[in-house]
Amino acid sequence: MATRYIQVERIAFREWLILSLLLCILTVAMVNFKSLERLDMVVYDRYMQLNSREARDDILIVAIDDYSLSELGKWPWPRQRHAELLKHINAATPAAIGMDILLTEAESAQASNQINGDQLLADAIAQSNKVVLPLVSQNSGKGLVAARPIPLLANAARQISHIHIELDKDGVARSVFLREGSRGEWWPHFALALKDVAQNTAYGTEKYLPGERLPVRLRKENNQADLWQRDYQMHIPFYGSSGHFKSVPYVSVLRGEVPAEFLKNKYVLIGPTALGMADSFPTPVSGNDGTISGIEINANILASLLDERTIDFAPAWQVALYNLLLLLVALISYQLLSPRKALLLTILFIFGAAAGSFLAMRYAGKWISPSTSLLALIIAYPVWSWRRLEAAIKYLGEEFTLLEKEPHLLPEFIDDEEEKSAPVLTDTLEQSINAVRVAADRVRDLRQFVSDSLASLPDATLVTTTDGNVLLSNPPALSYFASQGLPKVNDSLLPYLFARMSAPMESDENQTGSFSWWNLLDLKHTARMKQGVEVRDPQGQDLLIKSAPCYSASQQLVGWIVSIINITAIRAAERSRDETLHFISHDMRAPQASILALLEMQQDVATALPQAEFISRIEKASRITLGLADNFVQLARAESQDYRFEELDLQTVLLDATEEMWSLAKSKNIRIKCTIPDGEYPIRADRSLFTRVLTNLLSNAVKYSPRDTIISCTLAYEQQLAGANIVCSISDQGYGIPRAEQSKLFQRFQRFNSTDQPKNDGIGLGMVFVKAVLDRHHAQIDFSSAPNEGTTFNIRLPSSTI
């Protein structure tokens, strides 16, 4: 058997090597031949949309938009108007001005009413000495040549630049060449020229010039007349889609409606954005807009040059290495991990490949296409699982064939009808499945009754041998003993598991001797053990432990069933009931008895009290009774499920509570001072219950403080790793709580009175109510107190701010 298993392992390893080699070859080939180039561009565009940045404040677009056209008339406009615009902009001392307007032909005199608009515009350009004008390439029949602005304007401009945008095979603009030229003359891109002008950098001496260089061989051939050359291809790291950069209408600047401070030290780009007029292109960040105007693309390019950001496309060998590493690690995991873990790791690598590529783009400016590794990982796991399944089916089929020849331990009942309907011809997989089913049925039949019965019991249950060795244990038993520091239950001796528990609380064992945990396994104590013994475990839980013998069909003792029932909640309820009954029989009965006694006295003329005093005493006893009943009702609600949570401002709740306590504090000339910094303190709470919490604390502060003192209330934020808390502090200058009694503050019916402070009529439920409400709000309360120095309570409540 071992030899066959080793042979199967060797075959699996050989198939793994072949599969790994084929997938690696496929990965390298797809990278080298750019088979997934279109998918790469789709992923690139999606990443670019997620890689948006805030627009720079020093770039401003003066847009020739639809509003300006409606105000100034149809295009083209007289160049005198452009000259006036430049004068307005020049007066604001911008950093640089780029006019994305083609001025390749002179303006006719008729168009400008005999005014030489070209000269006016040239004068404005020369006066600014910061203007960049564009040129474009055009086909003159002998190759591409530059279509420059007219000489008058070109000579006045600070820089002449090209405005070409590179379109990929799918028609999307993703890159630009920072230098273009022909016949030995080169021009910078429009955005680069603006940067050079603003930074007073001579063209060709830039310290930062990103992009892929033109090969040296092609740079030396730049004298050919019909050759238009391009250099420094820069992939644009778009900041955002249309409307991302600040823009003002052309007509608003022309009319002087834009303040000079808005233009000062700005890169001002003048160009069309109007629908049907602008040279617009689809870009990776266009989204639903479809296209972005050329002037906005230039703003994106200028921002990336100023921030020295770009997207470098990794060479093919780096892309192949990145994809191969991910694939190889995944393939190695197939050999080391289980199929489930390998699948999870494959999914993790798929997301990791995509995330790694995005992070490289965002933080390193490097584009490494993940498409090849994604496809390879998607193919790798199914193919490898198929081959592993084939090997497993073959091996298991052989093993279960041998298992069929083994003697059967239990009788098997075969349905004749099912046997007749079984197909004669079955494939290898179905035969293996049938063999597994038969073997599983045999094992399942052996333990069906015991395992089902044991697992369905809600209480912790153990099945032991006759000598107390644990054979079976259900999930509640495993969970309970694990909480007691005993993770190993099966094969343990039963008395050892119960060794740290207390002796039974109530037992008749005094008549027969001391109690022993071996009694659970003694037939002499069967009657007692069936009723159960009540004990307490080291964690203070009340338990009822029962045991019963198990017999075989021949009435022979074969083991014991021991159950552990947690009755902690029942005993706690009984103790609470006893405390309540004691309270009702004493505290609530006393004022009622006082009322009856007063009524009897009032019927006798000799003992009758004055009417005012009689009514006062009746009122006092009634109010005490009503207060006791109200405290019980409030505590019952605090411990119930009926909470109505809503979004509140803790500042408002605190002010409501202080207003409610004003009259009580005024009666002792105590001033309640609230110190709340400006801002909002949002919480999610039950308004009435939380207000009652604060009034209880304020009421206690007033009751346990001498006259003419101050109670301080503050709110503050407290930042923690898990989130923000709002801290509400209430401090008094009262009598304080003795250290010996501080541990009993949140227990029922606890009262703190000393000889040096006034008597308090409370019943000790106020702080229990406070603790119950705060627990339901996931809040914490702590306090500091010292005799005759006052008490400070701090409530920490989670802020509901998201």
Side-chain angles (χ1 to χ4, degrees):
M1 182 183 298
T3 304
R4 287 199 308 275
Y5 179 76
I6 294 174
Q7 291 175 350
V8 171
E9 282 292 308
R10 289 176 178 174
I11 294 172
F13 183 72
R14 184 170 64 247
E15 290 193 359
W16 176 83
L17 284 178
I18 295 173
L19 174 64
S20 300
L21 181 60
L22 291 176
L23 286 174
C24 290
I25 293 174
L26 176 64
T27 299
V28 174
M30 287 192 295
V31 172
N32 186 55
F33 295 107
K34 299 183 178 180
S35 305
L36 302 178
E37 184 177 10
R38 187 170 293 275
L39 177 60
D40 289 341
M41 290 298 97
V42 172
V43 176
Y44 177 88
D45 293 348
R46 181 57 181 165
Y47 283 3
M48 190 61 67
Q49 294 172 12
L50 299 174
N51 194 32
S52 62
R53 302 291 181 98
E54 291 186 5
R56 289 180 62 99
D57 294 334
D58 56 353
I59 297 178
L60 178 67
I61 297 175
V62 177
I64 303 174
D65 53 5
D66 293 321
Y67 171 69
S68 298
L69 290 173
S70 65
E71 292 291 312
L72 300 177
K74 65 180 182 178
W75 189 262
W77 294 333
R79 292 181 182 173
Q80 179 185 4
R81 184 168 295 161
H82 297 327
E84 294 174 359
L85 177 74
L86 285 180
K87 289 180 180 179
H88 282 288
I89 297 175
N90 290 336
T93 62
I97 304 172
M99 295 187 66
D100 190 6
I101 302 172
L102 294 180
L103 303 170
T104 56
E105 297 180 359
E107 184 179 51
S108 63
Q110 181 179 2
S112 58
N113 298 323
Q114 305 302 323
I115 297 176
N116 192 342
D118 289 337
Q119 185 61 52
L120 293 175
L121 180 56
D123 293 341
I125 292 173
Q127 183 181 2
S128 172
N129 197 30
K130 296 180 180 179
V131 178
V132 175
L133 294 180
L135 60 77
V136 293
S137 61
Q138 63 183 15
N139 195 336
S140 62
K142 296 181 180 180
L144 295 176
V145 296
R148 312 169 188 247
I150 61 174
L152 179 62
L153 300 178
N155 294 333
R158 176 75 172 272
Q159 278 270 33
I160 302 297
S161 61
H162 76 86
I163 54 173
H164 300 147
I165 303 295
E166 180 69 8
L167 299 180
D168 291 335
K169 294 179 181 179
D170 55 359
V172 178
R174 298 184 180 91
S175 63
V176 67
F177 286 90
L178 295 181
R179 286 183 181 175
E180 292 190 9
S182 66
R183 301 181 181 181
E185 187 175 5
W186 292 84
W187 297 279
H189 186 267
F190 187 72
L192 178 59
L194 283 170
K195 178 185 176 185
D196 290 346
V197 168
Q199 297 180 357
N200 201 24
T201 302
Y203 171 60
T205 63
E206 297 90 354
K207 294 182 179 179
Y208 174 76
L209 196 59
E212 299 176 11
R213 292 301 314 272
L214 188 72
V216 178
R217 178 180 56 82
L218 296 179
R219 272 182 269 160
K220 292 180 179 179
E221 297 175 356
N222 57 10
N223 294 325
Q224 299 181 20
D226 59 346
L227 182 63
W228 186 273
Q229 293 184 306
R230 299 175 296 177
D231 201 0
Y232 289 98
Q233 184 178 14
M234 169 189 171
H235 295 276
I236 309 169
F238 286 90
Y239 283 66
S241 185
S242 180
H244 193 67
F245 285 86
K246 291 181 181 178
S247 175
V248 294
Y250 182 106
V251 66
S252 298
V253 179
L254 184 65
R255 292 172 178 172
E257 297 172 356
V258 178
E261 292 77 11
F262 201 69
L263 301 169
K264 185 177 180 62
N265 296 326
K266 298 287 181 67
Y267 291 86
V268 180
L269 284 70
I270 306 171
T273 61
L275 185 64
M277 177 182 173
D279 51 340
S280 55
F281 305 92
T283 68
V285 296
S286 299
N288 297 329
D289 298 335
T291 60
I292 299 179
S293 63
I295 193 67
E296 292 180 284
I297 295 177
N298 287 329
N300 278 276
I301 300 169
L302 176 58
S304 63
L305 288 173
L306 293 173
D307 290 337
E308 296 188 359
R309 292 181 61 234
T310 186
I311 303 296
D312 294 328
F313 275 45
W317 70 268
Q318 292 184 3
V319 178
L321 181 62
Y322 175 77
N323 289 278
L324 280 175
L325 285 175
L326 290 171
L327 177 62
L328 286 174
V329 175
L331 289 171
I332 293 173
S333 72
Y334 297 165
Q335 282 289 92
L336 303 177
L337 302 177
S338 65
R340 180 176 61 86
K341 292 181 179 179
L343 175 60
L344 294 175
L345 189 64
T346 301
I347 296 173
L348 180 64
F349 277 169
I350 289 174
F351 284 102
S357 177
F358 173 74
L359 294 175
M361 169 188 279
R362 182 169 181 84
Y363 297 106
K366 178 77 71 174
W367 166 243
I368 303 176
S369 169
S371 303
T372 304
S373 61
L374 296 179
L375 180 60
L377 289 170
I378 291 173
I379 294 174
Y381 184 80
V383 173
W384 172 242
S385 297
W386 162 56
R387 295 310 306 156
R388 284 293 293 268
L389 183 61
E390 284 285 340
I393 289 175
K394 182 178 180 181
Y395 176 74
L396 291 176
E398 295 175 355
E399 292 300 316
F400 287 124
T401 301
L402 296 175
L403 183 63
E404 280 289 327
K405 300 177 182 180
E406 296 289 333
H408 299 174
L409 300 178
L410 295 176
E412 297 181 1
F413 302 94
I414 301 176
D415 191 343
D416 294 335
E417 294 297 329
E418 183 180 351
E419 185 178 12
K420 292 178 181 178
S421 62
V424 178
L425 297 177
T426 57
D427 59 14
T428 304
L429 176 60
E430 189 170 353
Q431 291 176 359
S432 300
I433 293 175
N434 289 333
V436 172
R437 179 179 58 79
V438 172
D441 287 343
R442 291 175 186 169
V443 176
R444 190 179 301 110
D445 290 342
L446 292 173
R447 300 188 57 168
Q448 184 68 41
F449 175 76
V450 175
S451 61
D452 284 355
S453 300
L454 190 63
S456 62
L457 294 176
D459 298 319
T461 305
L462 306 173
V463 178
T464 75
T465 61
T466 55
D467 57 358
N469 194 39
V470 178
L471 294 176
L472 300 173
S473 53
N474 66 350
L478 294 174
S479 176
Y480 171 74
F481 284 109
S483 68
Q484 299 296 315
L486 299 171
K488 183 175 177 56
V489 178
N490 292 351
D491 297 328
S492 298
L493 280 175
L494 187 68
Y496 165 75
L497 295 176
F498 295 103
R500 294 190 296 171
M501 294 186 182
S502 66
M505 298 181 182
E506 297 179 2
S507 177
D508 296 332
E509 298 298 327
N510 294 330
Q511 301 176 2
T512 59
S514 61
F515 177 83
S516 171
W517 288 112
W518 289 102
N519 294 354
L520 294 171
L521 310 172
D522 192 343
L523 291 175
K524 297 179 182 179
H525 302 280
T526 301
R528 170 63 176 161
M529 293 304 108
K530 283 185 177 180
Q531 295 178 359
V533 292
E534 185 175 339
V535 298
R536 179 165 294 178
D537 67 10
Q539 295 181 350
Q541 300 181 92
D542 295 316
L543 306 175
L544 183 65
I545 300 177
K546 299 181 179 182
S547 70
C550 294
Y551 297 95
S552 65
S554 59
Q555 296 301 309
Q556 183 179 359
L557 181 66
V558 294
W560 296 83
I561 296 178
V562 179
S563 62
I564 306 169
I565 305 170
N566 192 327
I567 58 173
T568 303
I570 297 175
R571 292 294 177 260
E574 290 175 352
R575 286 190 290 270
S576 177
R577 179 199 61 192
D578 293 341
E579 290 175 350
T580 303
L581 290 176
H582 174 75
F583 163 75
I584 293 175
S585 64
H586 183 270
D587 292 67
M588 292 196 71
R589 187 174 179 273
Q592 301 298 320
S594 298
I595 293 175
L596 292 176
L598 287 171
L599 291 174
E600 291 178 1
M601 291 174 59
Q602 200 68 15
Q603 292 176 359
D604 189 347
V605 177
T607 59
L609 298 174
Q611 187 70 13
E613 183 180 355
F614 172 73
I615 294 175
S616 175
R617 290 179 178 271
I618 291 289
E619 179 185 4
K620 181 178 180 180
S622 300
R623 289 188 180 277
I624 291 174
T625 304
L626 182 61
L628 296 175
D630 183 57
N631 283 337
F632 257 100
V633 170
Q634 290 295 333
L635 181 59
R637 185 187 170 193
E639 293 177 344
S640 71
Q641 303 296 321
D642 187 20
Y643 275 60
R644 297 178 177 85
F645 289 96
E646 58 181 306
E647 296 294 333
L648 303 172
D649 190 334
L650 184 55
Q651 178 178 205
T652 303
V653 179
L654 179 59
L655 293 176
D656 290 345
T658 56
E659 183 67 23
E660 186 174 340
M661 289 293 103
W662 181 86
S663 59
L664 179 62
K666 188 67 176 179
S667 65
K668 298 181 67 175
N669 199 27
I670 293 176
R671 185 162 64 95
I672 300 178
K673 178 182 177 183
C674 290
T675 304
I676 304 176
D678 293 339
E680 296 183 351
Y681 300 86
I683 60 171
R684 183 169 176 78
D686 185 306
R687 176 183 285 273
S688 63
L689 289 177
F690 208 85
T691 303
R692 182 64 179 263
V693 166
L694 298 179
T695 55
N696 276 11
L697 293 176
L698 289 170
S699 174
N700 287 344
V702 173
K703 291 177 181 178
Y704 293 101
S705 293
R707 299 178 61 85
D708 303 317
T709 56
I710 296 176
I711 298 175
S712 300
C713 303
T714 63
L715 291 180
Y717 266 100
E718 182 179 77
Q719 192 66 38
Q720 295 183 342
L721 293 177
N725 285 341
I726 297 177
V727 182
C728 176
S729 299
I730 298 177
S731 302
D732 61 49
Q733 299 172 342
Y735 308 109
I737 304 172
R739 182 176 298 274
E741 297 183 345
Q742 290 182 5
S743 61
K744 298 185 279 185
L745 181 62
F746 297 106
Q747 298 179 11
R748 291 172 179 258
F749 310 113
Q750 297 296 324
R751 312 175 191 179
F752 309 113
N753 289 316
S754 60
T755 57
D756 59 344
Q757 66 184 49
K759 182 181 178 181
N760 180 30
D761 295 330
I763 63 170
L765 290 179
M767 296 308 295
V768 178
F769 168 82
V770 169
K771 188 66 169 63
V773 173
L774 293 180
D775 286 345
R776 288 295 302 277
H777 284 78
H778 304 289
Q780 297 177 347
I781 183 171
D782 59 70
F783 67 95
S784 59
S785 181
N788 299 319
E789 294 183 9
T791 303
T792 298
F793 284 92
N794 300 305
I795 299 176
R796 287 174 172 82
L797 186 70
S799 172
S800 64
T801 303
I802 300 177

